[in-house]
Amino acid sequence: MHNFALIGAAGYIAPRHMQAIKDTGNQLVAMLDKSDSVGIIDRYFPDAALFLETERFDRHLYRLSKKGDGQQVDYVSICSPNYLHDAHIRLALRNGADAICEKPLVLNTWNLDGLEDIEQDTGKKIYHILQLRLHPSVIKLKEKIDNGPKDKVYDIDLTYITGRGCWYYYSWKADMAKSGGITTNIGVHFFDMLTYIFGTVKENIVHYKSASVAAGYLQLQRARVRWFLSLDANFVPSEVRAAGKSTYRSILIDNEVFEFSDGFTDLHTEAYRKILGGEGFGLQDARNYVEICQNIRNTNAVGLVGEYHPLLKNISL
């Protein structure tokens, strides 16, 4: 059994990590969050210590590392805001623990270079939650593409709309410097999945960017991708909204629907099993999507030119 600590315990994604730690037969011994709204921990590890200040949490991990006898923290799970991931990964490794970090691992490619150095200096590992790669439908699709014609280039339309209320624009998520913007907040899953299956980026064009919508075109080695991301539920198809839903995801590959709506429930647990078995995703697995999002962030939109997503016709540019 391994000892875990968790940073960002009051966040949306933290319970999935708590469940994964429990499902894999391990123990959560300490948590860090500036908010004390972490009562959900009672479902999983009611004896876990809560720290509201990073300095005291850091000191606690250090003390445990010196005690030995199985009391040291072996892994630190990181669910904090995007811009803090780099610092929290470093905190984990400095205290003799491996890090398991949510997406995005970091916001910029140069952060990856720095983390490579601290891995080498400490001898500890940085693991990465890329759960879509473990989805059964994604695994089947990758096998199909890998075994298909090597010279075929696929046409893909990616649409992901997940409605967010006014609160979003007052939170750290709306701060470009802290979150990386909409493409980093909700696009990383898909950018990682597509480059994992269809290869690295040859061209990256941005057609439109606002606080709630981003759209563009990616030329991958084996795919032409028109993508559209939005936080505005008004873009959700009317029939979906009529069913009371504010989220819509669609991937069309050569005009055929790629269906992967189900099968998400246990993917974090499966990711933990892979990590604990020595097969987890690492630093270099993040590089493609970090570079894509970084380039989108720093590129001016060109408007309705070239291969743009059809939903952009509904926006007044």
Side-chain angles (χ1 to χ4, degrees), residues 74-124:
D74 303 301
Y75 294 89
V76 176
S77 299
I78 298 166
C79 310
S80 51
N82 301 351
Y83 70 106
L84 296 175
H85 287 177
D86 184 283
H88 289 156
I89 289 170
R90 293 171 180 275
L91 184 155
L93 271 61
R94 285 198 309 269
N95 284 291
D98 293 329
I100 300 176
C101 190
E102 265 295 340
K103 296 175 296 298
L105 193 67
V106 291
L107 296 180
N108 301 290
T109 52
W110 56 81
N111 297 125
L112 293 174
D113 299 333
L115 290 179
E116 282 183 356
D117 293 337
I118 195 169
E119 267 195 332
Q120 294 174 5
D121 292 343
T122 62
K124 307 308 291 185

Side-chain angles (χ1 to χ4, degrees), residues 36 90 129 231 265 272 284 306 314:
D36 60 6
R90 293 171 180 275
I129 299 293
L231 306 172
T265 307
Y272 269 65
Q284 293 310 316
N314 299 329

Side-chain angles (χ1 to χ4, degrees), residues 55-236:
E55 294 81 3
R56 291 183 175 181
F57 177 77
D58 189 3
R59 182 177 62 190
H60 183 67
L61 296 192
Y62 176 77
R63 286 178 174 175
L64 291 177
S65 73
K66 296 303 180 183
K67 285 184 177 181
D69 297 326
Q71 295 188 59
Q72 74 278 2
V73 168
D74 303 301
Y75 294 89
V76 176
S77 299
I78 298 166
C79 310
S80 51
N82 301 351
Y83 70 106
L84 296 175
H85 287 177
D86 184 283
H88 289 156
I89 289 170
R90 293 171 180 275
L91 184 155
L93 271 61
R94 285 198 309 269
N95 284 291
D98 293 329
I100 300 176
C101 190
E102 265 295 340
K103 296 175 296 298
L105 193 67
V106 291
L107 296 180
N108 301 290
T109 52
W110 56 81
N111 297 125
L112 293 174
D113 299 333
L115 290 179
E116 282 183 356
D117 293 337
I118 195 169
E119 267 195 332
Q120 294 174 5
D121 292 343
T122 62
K124 307 308 291 185
K125 291 288 294 180
I126 300 166
Y127 295 103
H128 192 10
I129 299 293
L130 295 172
Q131 71 269 32
L132 277 189
R133 296 192 185 192
L134 304 176
H135 193 290
S137 296
V138 173
I139 293 171
K140 289 181 182 179
L141 176 61
K142 181 169 173 55
E143 290 174 352
K144 175 184 176 181
I145 301 304
D146 287 348
N147 294 325
K150 302 303 180 185
D151 58 347
K152 180 173 174 55
V153 179
Y154 299 82
D155 288 307
I156 298 175
D157 277 357
L158 162 64
T159 309
Y160 183 48
I161 303 155
T162 178
R164 293 291 187 268
C166 292
W167 67 269
Y168 183 97
Y169 302 99
Y170 292 92
S171 74
W172 64 268
K173 293 176 182 287
D175 185 333
M176 185 73 71
K178 292 183 176 181
S179 71
I182 182 175
T183 49
T184 305
N185 278 335
I186 69 171
V188 289
H189 310 272
F190 302 103
F191 293 145
D192 173 71
M193 182 188 79
L194 291 173
T195 54
Y196 177 58
I197 296 172
F198 295 99
T200 55
V201 177
K202 298 170 67 176
E203 187 176 26
N204 186 347
I205 298 171
V206 180
H207 291 119
Y208 183 82
K209 287 193 294 186
S210 72
S212 61
V213 175
Y217 172 81
L218 291 172
Q219 176 72 57
L220 306 181
Q221 288 176 313
R222 301 190 62 190
R224 294 176 287 264
V225 183
R226 301 187 299 185
W227 57 270
F228 182 95
L229 306 171
S230 180
L231 306 172
D232 186 348
N234 290 314
F235 286 105
V236 174

Side-chain angles (χ1 to χ4, degrees), residues 12 14 25 44 53 79 98 116 186 198 206 221 230 243-245 256 271 278 285 296 302 308:
Y12 165 78
Y44 306 99
E53 297 169 343
C79 310
D98 293 329
E116 282 183 356
I186 69 171
F198 295 99
V206 180
Q221 288 176 313
S230 180
K245 298 179 181 179
E256 293 186 6
D285 292 297
I296 291 172
V302 299
Y308 59 86

